[in-house]
Amino acid sequence: MHGLVLLCAALLVACTTLWWAFGPQTASHARETASSRQVALLAPAGGFGHDLSVVDAYAAIPHRRTAFSERESTRSHGDARYLSALFAWTDLAVVERVTSQRALWSQQHSSLPASSYDAILEGLSSLETPRHLRPAQDLIESAISDQRAYFDEWQASGRRDYFKASHALVQSSHRKLIAAYKKLKAAYGDEPAHNKRAFFDHLCALDFI
């Protein structure tokens, strides 16, 4: 339990760094929408066998979760459907990150869950990505790959205190997620505030720092 408290505290501090602090802020709570229920058809609703749900993973960080709303979107049906699917997969990557980080912080290296990163990246690559959003998706996929590589290093170290915000892979993932968020915001500047918050929340929750 002590390790879990330390994990939550560290992640809370990490996710309030200067850049993300200037992102859109709101006191609203996470909402489950009809759109998010539809997305269950696009990505494994129960994740990949982890005990942690998407909602629990966000609560463990802790971080607000705003589900992208296809109904409120100003975009074409194809674009809106794509964004719902994209964020369904990034939510599973958040579960993977939190699950792995919990195990490594608690020194449960021998019981670290089998990685689902290959399946997540395969799911992302299978999406019918609009051409103008390919650069943003490439950045997200690369950021997730950096996180997987960092967890491999952390596990190999055998050290509970291996996590460092200054590590090259942590910083690389961080920069790529910020760049992806900026590209989404630039491409969909006319989206309603709710969906802009969804862009921010999904990618900030995925970030290490």
Side-chain angles (χ1 to χ4, degrees):
M1 179 61 71
H2 181 63
L4 177 58
V5 171
L6 288 175
L7 169 61
C8 291
L11 289 172
L12 176 59
V13 171
C15 211
T16 53
T17 52
L18 183 61
W19 190 92
W20 288 115
F22 283 97
Q25 300 297 316
T26 177
S28 65
H29 295 288
R31 295 194 291 165
E32 294 292 343
T33 65
S35 172
S36 66
R37 289 192 294 272
Q38 292 169 359
V39 171
L41 301 174
L42 304 174
F48 295 99
H50 296 324
D51 293 333
L52 202 65
S53 70
V54 170
V55 172
D56 289 341
Y58 274 76
I61 297 174
H63 199 285
R64 174 190 61 195
R65 179 173 180 267
T66 304
F68 179 81
S69 172
E70 291 183 42
R71 181 179 57 81
E72 296 180 33
S73 179
T74 61
R75 315 310 298 182
S76 69
H77 175 74
D79 278 18
R81 186 67 170 167
Y82 162 77
L83 289 168
S84 289
L86 173 69
F87 293 134
W89 285 106
T90 63
D91 272 350
L92 295 182
V94 171
V95 172
E96 191 73 15
R97 180 176 77 80
V98 173
T99 299
S100 298
Q101 204 158 357
R102 272 181 165 181
L104 291 165
W105 269 76
S106 62
Q107 294 186 304
Q108 295 175 351
H109 294 76
S110 61
S111 60
L112 190 66
S115 173
S116 300
Y117 280 118
D118 284 341
I120 291 169
L121 291 168
E122 183 178 347
L124 284 166
S125 67
S126 72
L127 296 177
E128 295 183 5
T129 308
R131 181 178 297 180
H132 64 286
L133 291 180
R134 186 73 253 179
Q137 184 174 319
D138 286 346
L139 285 164
I140 292 169
E141 290 182 31
S142 184
I144 291 172
S145 294
D146 287 346
Q147 292 186 7
R148 175 176 60 181
Y150 187 62
F151 281 131
D152 288 344
E153 282 192 23
W154 191 348
Q155 185 176 15
S157 76
R159 292 167 43 197
R160 178 182 180 278
D161 62 348
Y162 188 77
F163 181 83
K164 295 291 187 295
S166 59
H167 190 284
L169 287 169
V170 174
Q171 286 293 318
S172 176
S173 176
H174 174 63
R175 288 192 299 270
K176 289 169 184 176
L177 289 170
I178 289 175
Y181 168 67
K182 288 181 176 179
K183 288 183 182 299
L184 287 176
K185 192 170 67 168
Y188 296 124
D190 58 346
E191 279 290 282
H194 173 87
N195 281 347
K196 289 179 182 178
R197 286 196 301 272
F199 297 162
F200 178 85
D201 285 351
H202 282 92
L203 298 185
C204 183
L206 184 56
D207 195 6
F208 273 125
I209 56 177

